Amino acid sequence: MYANGKVALVTGAAQGIGRAMVEELLNKGAALAMVDQNRIAGEQCKASLDEKFGSNRTLFIQCDVTDQEQLRDAFQRTVKHFGRLDILVNNAGVNNEKDWEKTIEVNLISVIRGTYIGLELMNKKNGGQGGVIINISSLAGLTPAAYQPVYSASKHGVIGFTRSIAAMASIGNYGVRVNTVCPAFVDTPLLESIDKEENMGEYFQYKDNIKDMMKLFGILDPSLIAQGLVRLIEDETANGAVMKITTSRGIHFEEFSAQQRTKV
Ligand SMILES: NC(=O)C1=CN([C@@H]2O[C@H](COP(=O)(O)OP(=O)(O)OC[C@H]3O[C@@H](n4cnc5c(N)ncnc54)[C@H](O)[C@@H]3O)[C@@H](O)[C@H]2O)C=CC1
Ligand SMILES: CCCCC/C=C\C=C\C(=O)C/C=C\C/C=C\CCCC(=O)O
């Protein structure tokens, strides 16, 4: 699918990776809803993008993705405003080991809920027109992360859910592809959470170990993650794919053994 002329909804769109994805989708000719709980950052982001792309290409919707009613309303407003939905990016995420239940709510439960609402609207079996869903995980969803155990668990969950629902979408002929992106460290405000005790909790004492990892592996520019997103949107064969993005190897894919590919 080409993004040109399509309608997208991106969560966590006001800054960081979400904002970079919004800009890339606008460059490719899409219109989109920018969903974020941060009204000030969201409105500033829209105002700045309006200067380049015009005000009718984006709609900012303030929404806490963990609030079921707000999330459903954001989808309804998007379809009402633009007339359809073709591309969904469940990107909003947090790093909070102290309030770890919140991390599961934002990073995993809201991604699952968003995927189900997106499928209700796009599934050809429900009268939808098909589409593509991309759920943002992390390399910490494929490896242990000693100082971020719940963040890592939430991102492992995103990969397991995405691969499973992608298999179901294929079996059920939904006409919707579902894929995930797993970046290494990316230069966004999320990295600042490592310096905050209120985010790191008991792992705060290890913040320098994480900073050493960042020095060792390097930090990606958000624009590369946006390029990976577009590749998954355009590649009609990609379903259940786990895209990894690192400084050493750029955009590449996790390869699973035959056993790991077996559907149960
Ligand atoms: N920055 C990094 O190094 C990496 C980030 N990721 C993932 O990429 C995604 C985006 O992260 P970044 O752009 O780095 O983070 P960020 O903190 O820069 O931006 C996240 C955005 O999500 C919004 N958000 C947070 N909770 C929300 C909620 N409950 N409802 C609505 N909006 C909410 C924030 O207001 C913010 O605008 C996250 O899922 C993150 O886990 C994955 C790998 C690496
Ligand atoms: C693992 C620390 C997470 C700190 C939370 C803040 C930001 C989140 C970042 C990520 O999601 C990145 C996750 C993992 C990076 C881990 C290893 C990088 C290895 C890179 C490589 O192999 O090249």
Side-chain angles (χ1 to χ4, degrees), residues 46 109 188 205:
K46 176 171 164 52
I109 295 177
T188 76
Q205 60 186 305

Side-chain angles (χ1 to χ4, degrees), residues 95 137-140 143 145 148 151 183-185 190-191 193-194 210 213 217 246-248:
N95 167 43
S137 179
S138 158
L139 269 200
T143 58
Q148 312 294 139
Y151 180 82
F185 296 114
L190 187 73
L191 296 186
S193 62
I194 292 159
I210 301 177
M213 277 169 49
F217 292 113
T246 62
T247 54
S248 57

Side-chain angles (χ1 to χ4, degrees), residues 12 15 17 36-37 63-65 91 137 151 155 183-184 186 188-189:
Q15 66 180 32
I17 293 171
D36 204 292
Q37 67 179 2
C63 162
D64 177 347
V65 296
N91 164 73
S137 179
Y151 180 82
K155 296 302 188 178
V186 187
T188 76

Side-chain angles (χ1 to χ4, degrees), residues 11-21 35-39 41-42 61-67 70-71 90-95 102 105-107 110-111 135-140 151 154-155 158 181-194 214 219-220 222 225 245:
T11 70
Q15 66 180 32
I17 293 171
R19 182 184 171 137
M21 289 173 166
V35 173
D36 204 292
Q37 67 179 2
N38 187 335
R39 178 175 289 282
I61 302 173
Q62 183 184 23
C63 162
D64 177 347
V65 296
T66 66
D67 183 310
Q70 287 184 29
L71 186 61
N90 288 305
N91 164 73
V94 294
N95 167 43
K102 179 181 175 181
E105 278 176 25
V106 179
N107 294 8
S110 302
V111 168
N135 294 330
I136 307 307
S137 179
S138 158
L139 269 200
Y151 180 82
S154 71
K155 296 302 188 178
V158 170
V181 182
C182 301
F185 296 114
V186 187
D187 186 11
T188 76
L190 187 73
L191 296 186
E192 293 161 19
S193 62
I194 292 159
M214 288 182 194
I219 299 180
L220 297 156
I225 320 306
I245 310 184

